[in-house]
Amino acid sequence: MEEQQVLDRMSSISRFIYETMPSFDIAGYVLYLVIFLLSVVVYKLGFAKKLRLGQNIVIYAFLLIGCLMLTFLAFFLPVVEGLIVAALILIIYKIRLRLERKQSPTA
């Protein structure tokens, strides 16, 4: 009964992951992986610059650690949903930016 009360309080995507996975341990790892992959997409679309390999390793290591905290928050807050919205907004921005660059005359 206690597990059902916890599932009822979760955000929608977190609840879906926990309901479809065979165990809570695997569901936790899947939720962490989803959050990490969405964070990488948001980072790449919005903030990434050309960096050396060592700097990229440090950034992704800190991203791994930060996503651990986001996973704990994702149990009861819509973290995954927020990352999806951020990724969609950045994708739309990049598409519009590319279209504007094609249409503007090159100097």
Side-chain angles (χ1 to χ4, degrees):
M1 190 66 166
E2 185 178 314
E3 291 176 3
Q4 187 60 37
Q5 290 174 346
V6 171
L7 285 174
D8 289 341
R9 297 183 64 198
M10 284 185 168
S11 65
S12 59
I13 294 179
S14 299
R15 183 181 325 126
F16 175 76
I17 290 172
Y18 272 85
E19 287 175 348
T20 57
M21 290 294 129
S23 72
F24 276 8
D25 291 336
I26 294 172
Y29 291 123
V30 169
L31 183 62
Y32 178 72
L33 183 66
V34 167
I35 289 173
F36 177 71
L37 292 176
L38 286 171
S39 297
V40 167
V41 168
V42 170
Y43 169 71
K44 283 291 212 181
L45 289 173
F47 307 103
K49 295 182 180 181
K50 289 281 187 182
L51 299 173
R52 290 180 284 158
L53 179 64
Q55 292 172 331
N56 275 329
I57 291 171
V58 169
I59 286 174
Y60 286 110
F62 279 108
L63 195 58
L64 278 169
I65 295 168
C67 287
L68 184 63
M69 292 300 296
L70 286 177
T71 303
F72 289 126
L73 292 173
F75 290 125
F76 303 109
L77 297 173
V79 172
V80 178
E81 291 87 345
L83 287 170
I84 290 171
V85 169
L88 289 174
I89 289 171
L90 288 169
I91 288 169
I92 292 169
Y93 171 74
K94 291 290 184 175
I95 290 171
R96 290 194 60 183
L97 188 64
R98 185 173 293 156
L99 290 175
E100 284 183 18
R101 285 184 181 166
K102 285 183 180 180
Q103 290 177 354
S104 68
T106 57

